[in-house]
Amino acid sequence: MELKEVIGRRRTIRFFLPYKPVEREKVQKMLEAARRASCAGNVMNVRAIVIWREKASEKVIKAIAPRIGYQQMHTAPVFIFWYNEASVYIGDAWPDSVLRLADARRIGVEVEATKQEINEKLRPGFLMAGKAMGVAPLAFMDVGQAIAQATLVAYEEGLGSCLMSSPRLDRVAKLFNLPETATPVCVQALGYPAESWEAGGQTPKPPLGEMFFEMEVGNAFASDPKVEQEMKDAKLTQAPAPLSWRDEELKYLTRALSLENTLLNEVDP
């Protein structure tokens, strides 16, 4: 399957098979994909805690999946708690990471000259800006890139996932003994989908020109009909939700997984 089709077919999954465990090796592949993501200065500030429902304490599960909550929290056999670790930007950690890029021949041309320039011209700025950089937009962008790569690998491995973030994250974080330099980003519910891969169709998105611009805000990026058709042919663009049978699927899944009394899951008798 080509990348464009993978992106087009991937869905946020909210109904999992609770009885089907997720293989440890598949989670490792996701983490490896996250570890290979692009990151400014290669500091790799992304961190994650893998939580196996069957091994977690009742306190942890209740914090992640309260009695009244979304479907995915009640059925996922695995959760991944993703967070940003700001300490990798503080002190010598950030400039030293950039020095290692020179050793790996990823920046500069002549190694020693590049390292000298980093130490003399860049290190002072890195030392001054490190603390702020650890919680700057760029840091969270890099965490997001890592999570995105992990999410695509999860799909390739036959898994479904759903990313969630809320004020509850800070309360959940306290259960994991996170350092003060950590900022919770999201919890990813993970498991084998109980719903069909279409999940009722591709989630509708705003038009291209409402989201992206050329040269200045308000000047919409013009969509080329030929490219639109190419994306349909590549299956990046697919039939939009809701497909005609989705309501019945949702009713079936809610009853089959005993989710009738949870939020957003009320089903007529």
Side-chain angles (χ1 to χ4, degrees), residues 125-197:
F126 286 163
L127 294 176
M128 290 180 60
K131 187 173 182 179
M133 185 62 188
V135 291
L138 184 61
F140 293 104
M141 180 194 74
D142 288 338
V143 173
Q145 288 193 108
I147 296 172
Q149 292 191 182
T151 299
L152 289 177
V153 167
Y155 178 84
E156 186 181 50
E157 291 293 323
L159 301 172
S161 71
C162 180
L163 294 168
M164 296 151 290
S165 184
S166 76
R168 292 184 57 83
L169 278 183
D170 288 329
R171 296 199 295 272
V172 174
K174 292 178 181 178
L175 300 174
F176 301 131
N177 194 33
L178 267 65
E180 293 183 358
T181 49
T183 302
V185 175
C186 68
V187 172
Q188 184 171 31
L190 187 69
Y192 283 95
E195 53 189 311
S196 59
W197 75 264

Side-chain angles (χ1 to χ4, degrees), residues 1-243:
M1 191 181 302
E2 297 294 330
L3 177 61
K4 294 185 183 68
E5 185 175 355
V6 169
I7 294 172
R9 285 173 61 100
R10 189 211 62 81
R11 302 283 190 272
T12 293
I13 296 299
R14 295 183 173 86
F15 293 90
F16 298 100
L17 297 175
Y19 58 82
K20 188 173 183 179
V22 173
E23 297 88 343
R24 183 183 180 87
E25 57 266 27
K26 292 190 176 183
V27 175
Q28 181 175 340
K29 292 174 185 178
M30 292 175 62
L31 300 178
E32 285 287 2
R35 193 166 70 94
R36 298 299 175 184
S38 176
C39 181
N42 200 40
V43 296
M44 298 312 298
N45 51 307
V46 63
R47 298 290 186 274
I49 302 171
V50 179
I51 304 158
W52 307 93
R53 182 189 287 269
E54 62 182 12
K55 297 180 180 180
S57 69
E58 184 178 355
K59 186 177 182 180
V60 167
I61 295 302
K62 282 185 176 180
I64 294 176
R67 187 180 67 82
I68 300 298
Y70 292 97
Q71 305 98 320
Q72 62 270 20
M73 309 309 286
H74 292 279
T75 57
V78 181
F79 301 98
I80 302 179
F81 186 95
W82 297 95
Y83 66 96
N84 170 59
E85 179 48 71
S87 64
V88 296
Y89 291 97
I90 298 173
D92 290 317
W94 187 10
D96 286 350
S97 179
V98 178
L99 288 175
R100 288 191 291 273
L101 284 177
D103 285 329
R105 309 301 194 272
R106 298 295 294 121
I107 60 172
V109 177
E110 201 281 312
V111 176
E112 293 307 318
T114 300
K115 295 173 79 169
Q116 182 178 350
E117 186 170 359
I118 292 170
N119 283 321
E120 293 179 357
K121 298 181 180 179
L122 299 182
R123 184 178 290 273
F126 286 163
L127 294 176
M128 290 180 60
K131 187 173 182 179
M133 185 62 188
V135 291
L138 184 61
F140 293 104
M141 180 194 74
D142 288 338
V143 173
Q145 288 193 108
I147 296 172
Q149 292 191 182
T151 299
L152 289 177
V153 167
Y155 178 84
E156 186 181 50
E157 291 293 323
L159 301 172
S161 71
C162 180
L163 294 168
M164 296 151 290
S165 184
S166 76
R168 292 184 57 83
L169 278 183
D170 288 329
R171 296 199 295 272
V172 174
K174 292 178 181 178
L175 300 174
F176 301 131
N177 194 33
L178 267 65
E180 293 183 358
T181 49
T183 302
V185 175
C186 68
V187 172
Q188 184 171 31
L190 187 69
Y192 283 95
E195 53 189 311
S196 59
W197 75 264
E198 298 101 326
Q202 194 171 52
T203 305
K205 304 294 183 182
L208 193 76
E210 288 186 12
M211 298 175 64
F212 308 115
F213 312 101
E214 290 188 74
M215 306 306 292
E216 63 179 350
V217 174
N219 185 28
F221 188 97
S223 180
D224 185 338
K226 292 182 180 179
V227 176
E228 292 177 8
Q229 185 59 50
E230 181 182 339
M231 294 299 94
K232 289 181 180 179
D233 294 340
K235 299 182 181 179
L236 188 146
T237 301
Q238 301 189 358
L243 298 180

